[in-house]
Amino acid sequence: MIRSGGGKAITCIVILAILILVLHNEQSTTTALLPYLPVLPKSQTASTESIARLSWLRERISLSEKTWQKSVEQRGQMAAQHPDNPSIPFFPTDFLKYPYTIWDFFPATWTCPHDFQRVGRLGDGGKWVCGMSIYESLPAPEFPARDENVEARGAPAPNDGLVIYSFGINGESSFEAEMLERVPSARIWGYDFSVDGWGKQIPSSERHRTFFKKVGLGKEDLHSASPPFYTLPSLMKENGHMYIDILKIDIEGSEYDALDTFMDAFDGIQSASGNSVLPIGQVMIELHLGDGVHLDGPNAGADVGFDRFKKWWERLERMGMRPSWIEINLFAVTLGSGKSDPRCTEYVWVNARDEKNVLWR
């Protein structure tokens, strides 16, 4: 009986030790994956609700990272199997042999842990937003009405409130109008060299929370050119911004070089997570492939083929951005333009590594 009882005790101790190791490893893996999230509170004064919510958020992000990582591995495998790699055609003609397009290599596999809502009009102009309810809940700083003849006093600091940048307005501002209506803390900076201001969707009562400049977003600063171009780091410096919560960008093919310059400015600067992270919460962007491999336009850069696109995309991923939504733009295909391939696609990227992102607070 003594031997039997001792054996049971030893067995229980071994099982307990194994469980402790498993739980410790699981927590360590999550902590390594999400170093910017606070450790689960151990204080007795911490609310059960806050502990449960943080635990849930960690679990959701961890699952999203695993799903995204799997798609990254599959991307590499699929590319390696193609005989033309790294010059894989965007739209193969033999779909029995190669049943995929460029967009199938880059699916939106990272799940936003919060709500995903459509903001702005249906169709072109509206955007999908991860965590819209989180943005709506943010407290608003005081926004004094602006007078064209009198400088506003007591205006909020540049980084107060929700900072939104919008590039490529083209007279359609339904997204910006709804963000201003629903998010009391939002302020929006808009840029477009082809129009003189915001679209009519933004009412005059909300214009004091918007700022517009007739310039384009470029890979280098050409302030005296016609039209003038600014880089994103230069605009942030001019506005006194250290961080952009939401970036909306539709600049007809110039996005590759413009974001290259943005990544150049912050690559190598480590955040609390120990990685280079872009100072941006999430991005709504339309990607353009152009006709063939060359991008037209006043700010077009080098030819963009599969290899260039893949390296550009994976650099964004390395700096924390995760694809969370995809919407193929079929306008060019359906309007009889002679383009049979869907060469424009809307993506939403969420910054999953950023300790400043209000979505993780």
Side-chain angles (χ1 to χ4, degrees):
M1 293 296 292
I2 295 176
R3 290 180 180 178
S4 176
K8 289 181 179 180
I10 293 174
T11 301
C12 290
I13 292 173
V14 170
I15 293 174
L16 181 61
I18 292 173
L19 288 174
I20 291 174
L21 286 173
V22 170
L23 291 174
H24 175 74
N25 288 336
E26 182 177 351
Q27 184 176 8
S28 297
T29 301
T30 304
T31 303
L33 181 65
L34 311 169
Y36 50 85
L37 286 180
V39 177
L40 289 174
K42 297 179 181 179
S43 171
Q44 294 181 353
T45 60
S47 70
T48 303
E49 182 180 354
S50 65
I51 294 175
R53 180 168 179 78
L54 184 54
S55 177
W56 168 85
L57 185 59
R58 282 181 174 273
E59 181 180 0
R60 291 284 294 177
I61 295 179
S62 178
L63 289 172
S64 290
E65 283 286 311
K66 291 177 182 177
T67 304
W68 163 77
Q69 186 60 53
K70 179 182 177 181
S71 70
V72 172
E73 295 169 0
Q74 290 176 318
R75 176 198 308 159
Q77 294 167 1
M78 194 160 70
Q81 292 169 1
H82 198 287
D84 295 327
N85 187 49
S87 301
I88 301 174
F90 287 150
F91 302 97
T93 55
D94 189 349
F95 280 92
L96 291 178
K97 203 170 185 180
Y98 308 110
Y100 43 74
T101 72
I102 176 70
W103 310 122
D104 294 307
F105 284 89
F106 306 94
T109 53
W110 199 92
T111 304
C112 169
H114 305 296
D115 56 311
F116 234 126
Q117 295 189 37
R118 179 81 176 185
V119 177
R121 73 180 185 183
L122 296 178
D124 194 44
K127 304 295 178 184
W128 290 93
V129 181
C130 167
M132 184 63 181
S133 62
I134 303 296
Y135 295 136
E136 288 179 292
S137 68
L138 298 176
E142 184 179 353
F143 297 124
R146 290 192 305 181
D147 189 313
E148 294 182 357
N149 301 314
V150 180
E151 183 178 355
R153 295 181 179 180
N159 294 283
D160 287 348
L162 192 77
V163 175
I164 303 174
Y165 275 41
S166 180
F167 293 95
I169 295 164
N170 197 26
E172 209 296 306
S173 302
S174 62
F175 168 80
E176 292 82 2
E178 187 171 339
M179 289 298 293
L180 291 168
E181 177 187 359
R182 296 178 57 184
V183 183
S185 64
R187 286 190 292 171
I188 307 179
W189 282 256
Y191 303 93
D192 192 326
F193 66 83
S194 67
V195 295
D196 294 322
W198 298 103
K200 61 182 180 180
Q201 294 84 4
I202 299 179
S204 57
S205 60
E206 300 294 349
R207 296 278 173 150
H208 64 286
R209 291 197 280 147
T210 67
F211 310 85
F212 177 83
K213 190 168 187 175
K214 191 174 182 178
V215 301
L217 178 64
K219 66 178 180 179
E220 57 184 329
D221 288 299
L222 300 171
H223 300 177
S224 60
S226 181
F229 281 89
Y230 283 64
T231 63
L232 187 49
S234 292
L235 289 172
M236 292 179 68
K237 182 178 180 180
E238 180 178 270
N239 297 326
H241 290 144
M242 302 296 293
Y243 191 85
I244 301 173
D245 293 288
I246 295 176
L247 171 62
K248 172 180 170 278
I249 178 170
D250 183 0
I251 52 177
E252 305 303 322
S254 298
E255 59 269 12
Y256 302 99
D257 286 339
L259 289 184
D260 269 336
T261 298
F262 189 45
M263 288 187 281
D264 288 343
F266 296 96
D267 204 353
I269 301 176
Q270 291 189 350
S271 68
S273 64
N275 301 281
S276 296
V277 178
L278 292 177
I280 188 167
Q282 70 175 296
V283 179
M284 297 89 184
I285 188 170
E286 182 169 51
L287 299 182
H288 306 78
L289 298 181
D291 298 317
V293 296
H294 186 73
L295 298 177
D296 298 321
N299 193 38
D303 289 350
V304 175
F306 181 86
D307 190 46
R308 159 84 161 111
F309 186 99
K310 181 172 179 288
K311 289 177 179 178
W312 176 82
W313 179 282
E314 291 179 347
R315 189 184 183 194
L316 284 163
E317 290 178 317
R318 180 170 59 81
M319 298 188 74
M321 306 311 297
R322 299 290 184 265
S324 304
W325 195 273
I326 181 172
E327 182 177 283
I328 304 294
N329 189 333
L330 298 176
F331 271 179
V333 177
T334 58
L335 294 179
S337 62
K339 300 177 182 178
S340 60
D341 299 321
R343 296 184 174 273
C344 301
T345 296
E346 302 271 0
Y347 276 98
V348 176
W349 294 323
V350 176
N351 197 330
R353 277 199 189 147
D354 185 16
E355 66 272 13
K356 296 180 181 178
N357 196 335
V358 297
L359 298 178
W360 316 141
R361 295 179 187 173

